[in-house]
């Protein structure tokens, strides 16, 4: 990926959720709205708000939960990516 996002924008690559539960029950893709999980693949340099520098809170490689309605989807080399503002990310997922 050779895309460098500007300001407080982040480029994400979606992570497919598991299609079975812990007990082995298969969950079809058509069931309900699934949470949107992704991996951060590129970040901007941050932005300025009221004269103060706002640093980026996410890093490349972080797994995050984000707002799919605040994002733009695009394809590059047959892979689908999402670009959005850092404020549209709800949180960083920490592995247990």
């Amino acid at each position: 990926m050779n895309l460098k996002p500007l300001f407080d924008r982040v480029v994400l690559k979606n992570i497919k959720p598991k299609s079975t539960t812990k007990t082995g029950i298969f969950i079809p893709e058509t069931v309900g709205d699934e949470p949107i999980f992704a991996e951060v693949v590129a970040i901007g340099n941050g932005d300025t708000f009221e004269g103060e520098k706002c640093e980026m809170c996410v890093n490349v490689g972080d797994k995050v939960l984000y707002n799919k309605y605040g994002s733009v989807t695009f394809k590059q080399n047959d892979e689908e990516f999402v670009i959005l503002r850092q404020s549209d990310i709800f949180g960083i997922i920490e592995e247990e």
Side-chain angles (χ1 to χ4, degrees):
M1 154 87 45
N2 290 334
L3 175 65
K4 176 69 174 170
L6 299 176
F7 306 111
D8 66 336
R9 288 182 178 79
V10 180
V11 178
L12 306 174
K13 183 176 180 182
N14 283 340
I15 299 171
K16 291 277 187 185
K18 294 180 182 176
S19 60
T20 57
T21 65
K22 289 182 181 181
T23 57
I25 298 171
F26 175 74
I27 303 170
E29 290 183 18
T30 58
V31 174
D33 282 340
E34 60 193 40
I36 306 300
F37 297 101
E39 181 177 353
V40 177
V41 294
I43 61 173
N45 292 328
D47 204 355
T48 310
F49 181 72
E50 295 182 2
E52 295 289 323
K53 176 79 172 166
C54 296
E55 298 294 326
M56 298 300 284
C57 298
V58 295
N59 296 304
V60 173
D62 284 349
K63 308 276 190 295
V64 296
L65 175 67
Y66 72 95
N67 180 0
K68 70 179 178 180
Y69 299 110
S71 63
V72 174
T73 304
F74 66 97
K75 284 190 175 186
Q76 182 177 12
N77 299 332
D78 294 328
E79 289 187 294
E80 192 169 291
F81 295 93
V82 173
I83 190 165
L84 46 73
R85 291 190 176 273
Q86 178 177 243
S87 60
D88 289 323
I89 296 175
F90 296 127
I92 299 171
I93 301 166
E94 296 180 358
E95 301 293 324
E96 293 180 8

